[in-house]
C-alpha cells in the first residue's frame, strides 16, 4: 500500500510554544489529507480535512486559529499547534488519500506532550 | 448522526483461541467499513476493507463480515497468537460526506 510519513513521532514542548507536524505522502499524490486527534482509550476524532491548494475544512469545535493546517502541495500537509497548552497534549494522526472517498493511508502518528 | 460502537472494550484470551470482535453502527448509509490495528503509541495498520456491496473479506487468519442492513460487522481472528495483541478499530466511511467515523476500539490481549 501507499506510504504516508508523519514527523515528528514524538514532541515535548513548553506551554505557549508552537509545534509543527508534517504529513507527507511518499509515493502518491494526496488530493485530500485528514488530521485526527486521539485521546487515550477514545476514538479517533476528525479535526479537519484539507484539499491541496484550498483552505482546510474544520470540524465543529476545532479552533482553526489554534490548529493551523496548510496543504500547499499534493504530497505535504502540515498541522501547527499554536500557543500549545497542556490540554493540547494528545496523539495526532494524519491520513492521505487520492480523493474524499478513496482509501486513506495513515501516518504513524505524533505524540504531543505540552509541559 | 452516525455512532460506531465496539464490543467488548477489552478482551483477554489464551493463545490459540478463535475470537470475534464486534462493531455496530447506527446509520446504514455507509460507503465502506474498515478494520484497523493499532499498537500502543503507534499509528494505524489497515487490516481489511469491506465495500458496502460486499458481505465479507478475508486476509490470512482474519475474516471480516458486514451486514449493512443490521448495522453490524465482525472481525474473526483464527488461531490467535501473542503478536495479535493490539487495539482493533473499526471505522465506517459515510456515503453522504465520505467522512470516517470511528469506534473506540477493542483492546485485545493474547496470553502465551
Amino acid at each position: 500500500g501507499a506510504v504516508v510519513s508523519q514527523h515528528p513521532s514524538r514532541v515535548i514542548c513548553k506551554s505557549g510554544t508552537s509545534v509543527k507536524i508534517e504529513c507527507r505522502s511518499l509515493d502518491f499524490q494526496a488530493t485530500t489529507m485528514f488530521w485526527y486527534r486521539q485521546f487515550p482509550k477514545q476514538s479517533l476524532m476528525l479535526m479537519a480535512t484539507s484539499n491541496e491548494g484550498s483552505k482546510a475544512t474544520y470540524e465543529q469545535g476545532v479552533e482553526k486559529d489554534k490548529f493551523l493546517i496548510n496543504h500547499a502541495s499534493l504530497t505535504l500537509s502540515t498541522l501547527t499547534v499554536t500557543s500549545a497548552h497542556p490540554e493540547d497534549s494528545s496523539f495526532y494522526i494524519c491520513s492521505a488519500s487520492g480523493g474524499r472517498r478513496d482509501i486513506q493511508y495513515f501516518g504513524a502518528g505524533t505524540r504531543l506532550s505540552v509541559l | 448522526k452516525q455512532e460506531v460502537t465496539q464490543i467488548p472494550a477489552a478482551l483477554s484470551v489464551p493463545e490459540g483461541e478463535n475470537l470475534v470482535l464486534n462493531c455496530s453502527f447506527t446509520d446504514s448509509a455507509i460507503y465502506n467499513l474498515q478494520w484497523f490495528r493499532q499498537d500502543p503509541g503507534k499509528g494505524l495498520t489497515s487490516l481489511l476493507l469491506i465495500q458496502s456491496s460486499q458481505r465479507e473479506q478475508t486476509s490470512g487468519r482474519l475474516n471480516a463480515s458486514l451486514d449493512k442492513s443490521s448495522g453490524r460487522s465482525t472481525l474473526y481472528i483464527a488461531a490467535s497468537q501473542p503478536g495479535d495483541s493490539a487495539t482493533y478499530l473499526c471505522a465506517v466511511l459515510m456515503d453522504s460526506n465520505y467522512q470516517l467515523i470511528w469506534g473506540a476500539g477493542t483492546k485485545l490481549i493474547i496470553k502465551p
Side-chain angles (χ1 to χ4, degrees):
Chain A
V3 178
V4 173
S5 172
Q6 187 173 339
H7 178 81
S9 59
R10 184 178 180 93
V11 58
I12 302 171
C13 68
K14 293 182 179 179
S15 184
T17 61
S18 294
V19 175
K20 180 183 283 189
I21 302 170
E22 291 188 350
C23 182
R24 294 181 183 271
S25 57
L26 298 185
D27 51 3
F28 70 103
Q29 293 185 326
T31 306
T32 307
M33 286 189 172
F34 304 84
W35 288 95
Y36 296 87
R37 182 174 183 177
Q38 185 181 32
F39 290 105
K41 298 182 181 180
Q42 293 189 26
S43 305
L44 275 74
M45 298 299 296
L46 179 65
M47 298 175 66
T49 302
S50 72
N51 292 296
E52 185 266 338
S54 61
K55 290 184 178 180
T57 302
Y58 289 81
E59 295 301 304
Q60 191 174 8
V62 178
E63 298 177 57
K64 59 181 66 176
D65 293 331
K66 181 165 188 63
F67 298 100
L68 300 179
I69 291 172
N70 183 281
H71 191 169
S73 77
L74 284 170
T75 59
L76 174 65
S77 176
T78 60
L79 167 67
T80 301
V81 183
T82 61
S83 187
H85 290 284
E87 57 266 30
D88 298 326
S89 299
S90 188
F91 193 60
Y92 294 86
I93 303 178
C94 73
S95 70
S97 76
R100 292 182 68 198
R101 66 177 188 184
D102 287 0
I103 292 175
Q104 293 182 32
Y105 298 96
F106 287 83
T110 298
R111 172 73 61 193
L112 172 63
S113 299
V114 185
L115 305 177
Chain B
K1 180 184 174 184
Q2 177 72 280
E3 292 184 2
V4 180
T5 304
Q6 290 187 246
I7 294 174
L11 181 64
S12 179
V13 300
E15 179 179 5
E17 283 198 8
N18 303 323
L19 56 98
V20 174
L21 307 182
N22 297 292
C23 174
S24 62
F25 47 96
T26 55
D27 185 346
S28 62
I30 65 170
Y31 188 74
N32 61 42
L33 181 146
Q34 281 187 267
W35 282 92
F36 294 85
R37 169 185 173 140
Q38 184 175 31
D39 292 283
K42 300 290 180 62
L44 303 168
T45 301
S46 180
L47 299 173
L48 291 164
L49 183 150
I50 311 176
Q51 300 292 351
S52 61
S53 58
Q54 296 176 322
R55 298 284 293 184
E56 66 177 347
Q57 284 287 325
T58 298
S59 175
R61 293 182 294 108
L62 306 178
N63 175 277
S65 69
L66 173 64
D67 185 340
K68 186 178 158 183
S69 60
S70 67
R72 294 179 182 177
S73 175
T74 61
L75 179 67
Y76 175 82
I77 303 177
S80 58
Q81 304 170 357
D84 295 331
S85 298
T87 295
Y88 290 80
L89 299 163
C90 75
V92 297
L93 188 68
M94 299 302 296
D95 248 343
S96 56
N97 58 10
Y98 303 117
Q99 186 173 124
L100 267 179
I101 308 297
W102 297 80
T106 294
K107 184 176 182 179
L108 176 64
I109 297 174
I110 306 298
K111 297 174 287 186

